[in-house]
């Protein structure tokens, strides 16, 4: 029986668009815009930061080294230093879904690929953060989804059994990684609000311990 719901963060509970950051400092559609965006958000360093295996300063240094002009390097630094201030927002209705699940008796958890930057700002963007029984970001463990070891660390940290957890992520490869560890899940269809998330969960879940669903709690 499923007792715990495990959420990914980006494009499940929190919307994310790096263009919102880039547009704070550059004119969209220019060659400069494209080069800087790729150097920061499309870089290998971005993945390594999510894995927690390089520092932010080292990541930024490598990103800037990829650019040719002082202006582009300055813009890259601005985008990198301030990305979290502009490019994330809570998906409408997600908080209500989480509170309903909590009211039905489910444990609520988060397992997300994210850099250590999120450790300082996640309470401002994760909906109904007070309902979460545990939060794990990949950089804390120096691993990344879909690595099997990250899921195992997640189960160990919070004392959970894989077969009692249901995972919601927007990347099929991450759902496959979870399934290989014994955790069921569904690949979330990106949406502007939480109606799709609600439908997906209702399709797969039944209340734990015979409880009756209680909406609106």
């Amino acid at each position: 029986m499923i007792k715990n719901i495990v959420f990914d963060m980006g494009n499940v509970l929190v919307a994310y668009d790096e263009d919102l950051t880039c547009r704070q400092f550059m004119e969209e559609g220019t060659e400069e815009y494209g080069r800087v965006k790729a150097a920061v958000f499309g870089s290998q360093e971005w993945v390594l930061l999510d894995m927690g295996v390089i520092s932010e300063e080292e990541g930024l240094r490598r990103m800037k080294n990829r650019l040719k002009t002082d202006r582009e390097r300055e813009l890259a630094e601005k985008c990198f230093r301030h990305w979290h201030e502009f490019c994330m927002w809570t998906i409408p209705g997600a908080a209500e879904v989480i509170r309903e699940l909590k009211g039905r008796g489910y444990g609520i958890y988060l397992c997300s690929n994210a850099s250590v930057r999120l450790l300082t700002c996640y309470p401002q963007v994760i909906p109904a953060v007070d309902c979460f029984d545990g939060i794990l970001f990949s950089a804390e463990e120096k691993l990344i989804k879909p690595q099997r070891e990250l899921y195992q660390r997640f189960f160990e940290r919070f004392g959970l059994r894989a077969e009692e957890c249901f995972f919601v992520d927007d990347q099929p490869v991450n759902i496959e990684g979870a399934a290989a560890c014994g955790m069921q899940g569904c690949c979330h269809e990106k949406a502007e609000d939480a109606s799709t998330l609600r439908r997906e969960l209702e399709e797969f879940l039944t209340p734990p311990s015979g409880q009756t669903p209680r909406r609106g709690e």
Side-chain angles (χ1 to χ4, degrees):
M1 177 179 288
I2 299 300
K3 298 181 179 180
N4 308 292
I5 314 301
V6 184
F7 292 99
D8 176 39
M9 184 174 66
N11 293 323
V12 177
L13 300 178
V14 176
Y16 172 88
D17 184 355
E18 61 259 19
D19 281 312
L20 295 180
T21 296
C22 293
R23 287 199 291 266
Q24 299 295 318
F25 307 107
M26 298 174 286
E27 182 179 351
E28 190 172 12
T30 63
E31 291 184 5
E32 175 182 75
Y33 185 101
R35 285 193 295 268
V36 171
K37 178 182 175 181
V40 177
F41 298 103
S43 67
Q44 180 185 35
E45 288 75 32
W46 195 261
V47 177
L48 296 176
L49 287 163
D50 278 357
M51 292 182 71
V53 295
I54 61 172
S55 68
E56 288 205 340
E57 293 306 316
E58 175 63 14
L60 177 59
R61 184 188 66 80
R62 295 186 190 184
M63 293 171 184
K64 290 168 67 175
N65 283 347
R66 207 170 283 122
L67 295 166
K68 296 181 178 180
T69 69
D70 288 342
R71 174 171 167 79
E72 288 180 353
R73 288 187 282 270
E74 178 184 351
L75 290 168
E77 179 154 0
K78 287 181 177 179
C79 288
F80 182 78
R81 298 288 188 198
H82 299 283
W83 64 265
H84 62 285
E85 299 171 17
F86 303 109
C87 71
M88 297 183 294
W89 67 97
T90 300
I91 291 177
E96 289 77 6
V97 171
I98 291 170
R99 294 195 186 282
E100 289 173 15
L101 292 168
K102 193 71 172 178
R104 289 165 63 176
Y106 290 105
I108 306 295
Y109 295 87
L110 186 135
C111 181
S112 181
N113 286 344
S115 69
V116 294
R117 179 86 61 93
L118 270 296
L119 292 172
T120 64
C121 62
Y122 76 84
Q124 286 74 51
V125 293
I126 294 179
V129 68
D130 57 298
C131 291
F132 281 77
D133 298 286
I135 291 174
L136 183 146
F137 291 125
S138 57
E140 298 178 81
E141 300 294 339
K142 293 183 169 49
L143 295 164
I144 196 167
K145 294 182 296 185
Q147 289 180 289
R148 183 183 186 91
E149 293 82 1
L150 181 63
Y151 299 107
Q152 291 172 334
R153 295 275 184 88
F154 171 78
F155 300 136
E156 291 168 3
R157 176 184 287 197
F158 301 117
L160 303 176
R161 300 177 64 180
E163 64 271 21
E164 294 179 346
C165 297
F166 187 85
F167 185 44
V168 184
D169 195 291
D170 66 320
Q171 297 295 320
V173 67
N174 293 337
I175 296 297
E176 292 167 7
C181 295
M183 178 165 57
Q184 301 177 55
C186 71
C187 188
H188 174 61
E189 180 183 337
K190 184 178 178 181
E192 296 300 319
D193 57 40
S195 59
T196 301
L197 178 63
R198 185 189 298 280
R199 174 180 55 76
E200 291 165 345
L201 289 168
E202 288 179 348
E203 181 179 346
F204 287 100
L205 299 179
T206 56
S209 304
Q211 296 180 22
T212 301
R214 296 176 293 171
R215 292 191 176 279
E217 296 188 21

